[in-house]
């Protein structure tokens, strides 16, 4: 097996991937909090860790990829109240929209997508263990983690304990023994329409404990890769790591891998800033191939700009590969091109360097095009398969135009909203343009009508 290294936030350097169970890799990546449609920035960890799974599977590992859905959270209560709908309904609808939006990326689903609301039993048990071991305390129906009881606290985010702010504001401030402490359980408040029973009172879990419990339930303690956006390092991941280590006496994960933010005009893309490009809009405008190529053109750890220039560049890359594919023949590739294939996989083995891997793809395409006879496409198919772009090689894969893609996105949105009359009308409109909608495991796709 090829030696694979990844950047680990805890140690601050490149670390070899040495799985807990030889030959098997468990990945947990923090998924969305479902209170609105997801934006391109939210999609980045989904893309990065889905592609990392493909690469590791190519290298011979049996990979289990878990991406949770945070469906119990203050943001959901706030958005539901503002919209005048029950929080449970908002969370359910936005979970369905998230699944539809990410399906359209054509990367398949993660192996497990646990919901916080379905993991309450494990969450309550984990909090009880923390109380028993002296790392947490109940106060008027809330439960807080006692940060100073766990001396390695800060080891993931490398922050000085005195400089930390849990971001919980005045909420619970009077019940905390120390301002550094953070909530594991919150007593039900006026206007919160979901709650569960627990030994210390009726309420609901804090965000951080949800992930500790969901990750352990599906992957056990000490799994291989914990991923997520770099904005989650503190406090979310610091707190996840502290909770599990304090309760179990063993680390939650071996490697902590963080992706950079998607930036619009230099600012982090976030709902609170208002500079959002919703994923389903981006997919309708650019198509999934260009969007995947756009993500691959940036190293996962670096921030990437979301700009017309970058997306046009990605569309050109995709067109170049499609164009080159027309001159290839099906079958094995010549040995002279093998070093370029090797360069592709070596780049991915070294901290999952997709821009360098893509450069190897273009070198391969250039060399193949220089040859007199048609070149066998096997190498290119293998490389593109890891990046989920193998569809570019299929004959006449010109793909639907922008109008058709937009109709598909609108039909998807109508379907998720259970407006089946509109969904059917849009399907008929697509049929009149020559496209048939096929709902597959990887989401809806447009295929030319026969
Ligand atoms: Zn999380």
């Amino acid at each position: 097996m090829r030696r694979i290294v990844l950047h680990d936030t805890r140690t601050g350097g490149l670390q070899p991937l040495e799985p807990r169970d030889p030959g098997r890799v468990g990945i947990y990546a923090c998924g969305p909090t479902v209170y609105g449609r997801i934006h391109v920035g939210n999609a980045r960890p989904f893309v990065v860790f889905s592609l990392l799974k493909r690469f590791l599977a190519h290298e011979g590992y049996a990979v289990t990829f878990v991406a949770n859905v945070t469906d119990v959270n203050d943001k959901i209560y706030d958005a539901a109240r503002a919209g005048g709908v029950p929080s449970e309904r908002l969370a359910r609808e936005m979970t369905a929209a998230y699944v539809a939006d990410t399906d359209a990326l054509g990367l398949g689903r993660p192996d497990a997508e646990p919901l916080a609301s379905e993991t309450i039993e494990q969450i309550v048990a984990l909090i009880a263990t923390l109380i028993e071991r002296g790392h947490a305390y109940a106060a008027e129906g809330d439960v807080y983690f006692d940060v100073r009881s766990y001396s390695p606290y800060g080891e993931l985010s490398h922050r000085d304990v005195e400089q930390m702010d849990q971001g919980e504001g005045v909420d619970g401030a009077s019940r905390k023994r120390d301002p550094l402490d953070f909530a594991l359980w919150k007593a039900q408040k006026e206007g919160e329409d979901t709650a569960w029973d627990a030994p210390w009172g009726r309420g609901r879990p804090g965000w951080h404990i949800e992930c500790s419990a969901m990750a352990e339930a599906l992957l056990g303690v000490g799994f291989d890769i914990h991923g997520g956006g770099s904005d989650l390092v503190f406090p979310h991941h610091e707190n996840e790591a502290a909770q599990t280590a304090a309760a179990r006496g063993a680390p939650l994960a071996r490697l902590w891998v963080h992706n950079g933010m998607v930036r619009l005009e230099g600012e982090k893309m976030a709902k609170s800033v208002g500079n959002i490009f919703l994923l389903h809009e981006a997919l309708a405008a650019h198509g999934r191939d260009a969007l995947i190529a756009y993500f691959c053109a940036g190293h996962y750890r670096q921030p990437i700009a979301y700009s017309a220039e970058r997306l046009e560049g990605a569309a050109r890359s995709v067109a170049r590969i499609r164009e080159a594919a027309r001159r290839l023949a099906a079958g094995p590739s010549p040995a002279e091109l093998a070093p370029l294939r090797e360069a592709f996989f070596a780049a991915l083995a070294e901290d999952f360097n997709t821009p360098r891997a893509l450069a190897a793809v273009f070198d391969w395409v250039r060399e193949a095009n220089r040859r007199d006879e048609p070149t066998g496409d096997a190498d290119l198919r293998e490389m593109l398969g890891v990046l989920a772009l193998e569809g570019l090689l299929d004959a006449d894969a010109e793909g639907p135009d922008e109008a058709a893609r937009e109709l598909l996105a609108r039909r998807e949105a109508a379907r998720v909203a259970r407006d089946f009359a509109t969904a059917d009308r849009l399907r008929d409109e697509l049929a009149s343009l020559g496209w048939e909608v096929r709902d597959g495991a990887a989401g809806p796709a447009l295929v030319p009508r026969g």
Side-chain angles (χ1 to χ4, degrees), residues 293-323:
Y294 156 78
F295 280 120
C296 289
H299 189 277
Y300 78 87
R301 274 209 283 144
Q302 302 302 321
I304 41 168
Y306 188 78
S307 65
E309 222 178 314
R310 287 259 185 167
L311 284 149
E312 281 159 21
R316 276 196 303 275
S317 297
V318 162
R320 255 167 75 197
I321 296 171
R322 231 182 227 135
E323 179 60 32

Side-chain angles (χ1 to χ4, degrees), residues 28-31 68 70 207-208 210-212 214 226-228 232 236-237 240:
Y28 181 92
C30 290
N68 72 291
T70 298
W207 176 34
H208 317 304
E210 294 176 350
C211 276
S212 280
M214 286 187 275
H226 192 310
L232 298 184
H236 187 50
H237 289 170
E240 277 186 43

Side-chain angles (χ1 to χ4, degrees), residues 187-245:
Q188 185 174 21
K189 283 196 243 352
E190 183 84 33
E192 292 179 357
D193 56 1
T194 51
W196 292 265
D197 287 322
W200 40 85
R202 200 166 164 75
R204 39 93 185 197
W207 176 34
H208 317 304
I209 197 79
E210 294 176 350
C211 276
S212 280
M214 286 187 275
E216 184 183 338
L218 285 148
L219 296 170
V221 168
F223 61 87
D224 305 296
I225 299 170
H226 192 310
S230 59
D231 56 339
L232 298 184
V233 175
F234 184 86
H236 187 50
H237 289 170
E238 187 73 60
N239 293 348
E240 277 186 43
Q243 291 159 167
T244 300

Side-chain angles (χ1 to χ4, degrees), residues 35 88 160 179 210 230 236 256 268 289 294 380 406 412 430:
Y35 64 106
E88 212 177 335
D160 174 9
E210 294 176 350
S230 59
H236 187 50
W256 290 82
K268 169 184 143 183
D289 293 336
Y294 156 78
L380 187 59
E406 204 194 313
E412 212 26 44
L430 279 161

Side-chain angles (χ1 to χ4, degrees), residues 390-444:
E390 68 277 16
L392 298 179
L393 291 181
D394 295 325
D396 302 319
E398 205 46 70
D401 65 8
E402 203 172 306
R405 290 199 305 262
E406 204 194 313
L407 286 174
L408 180 68
R410 280 171 48 203
R411 182 233 174 215
E412 212 26 44
R415 214 168 56 88
V416 167
R418 301 180 174 278
D419 177 0
F420 297 112
T422 306
D424 287 349
R425 186 176 54 72
L426 292 165
R427 188 198 55 208
D428 295 344
E429 235 177 283
L430 279 161
S432 70
L433 293 173
W435 295 103
E436 186 191 323
V437 182
R438 274 206 204 139
D439 295 300

Side-chain angles (χ1 to χ4, degrees), residues 294-418:
Y294 156 78
F295 280 120
C296 289
H299 189 277
Y300 78 87
R301 274 209 283 144
Q302 302 302 321
I304 41 168
Y306 188 78
S307 65
E309 222 178 314
R310 287 259 185 167
L311 284 149
E312 281 159 21
R316 276 196 303 275
S317 297
V318 162
R320 255 167 75 197
I321 296 171
R322 231 182 227 135
E323 179 60 32
R326 294 209 179 94
R327 293 194 289 276
L328 300 175
S333 303
E336 305 94 270
L337 297 184
L340 297 172
R341 175 193 169 280
E342 182 48 36
F344 174 91
F345 288 104
L348 295 182
E350 202 182 322
D351 199 22
F352 202 53
N353 194 324
T354 53
R356 230 174 66 207
L358 260 188
V361 165
F362 288 113
D363 289 344
W364 192 98
V365 163
R366 195 178 315 111
E367 290 305 315
N369 283 342
R370 276 194 194 143
R371 297 163 54 88
D372 297 330
E373 297 114 65
T375 306
D377 67 358
D379 281 357
L380 187 59
R381 190 169 287 280
E382 185 186 2
M383 293 188 279
L384 293 176
V386 169
L387 301 181
L389 290 170
E390 68 277 16
L392 298 179
L393 291 181
D394 295 325
D396 302 319
E398 205 46 70
D401 65 8
E402 203 172 306
R405 290 199 305 262
E406 204 194 313
L407 286 174
L408 180 68
R410 280 171 48 203
R411 182 233 174 215
E412 212 26 44
R415 214 168 56 88
V416 167
R418 301 180 174 278

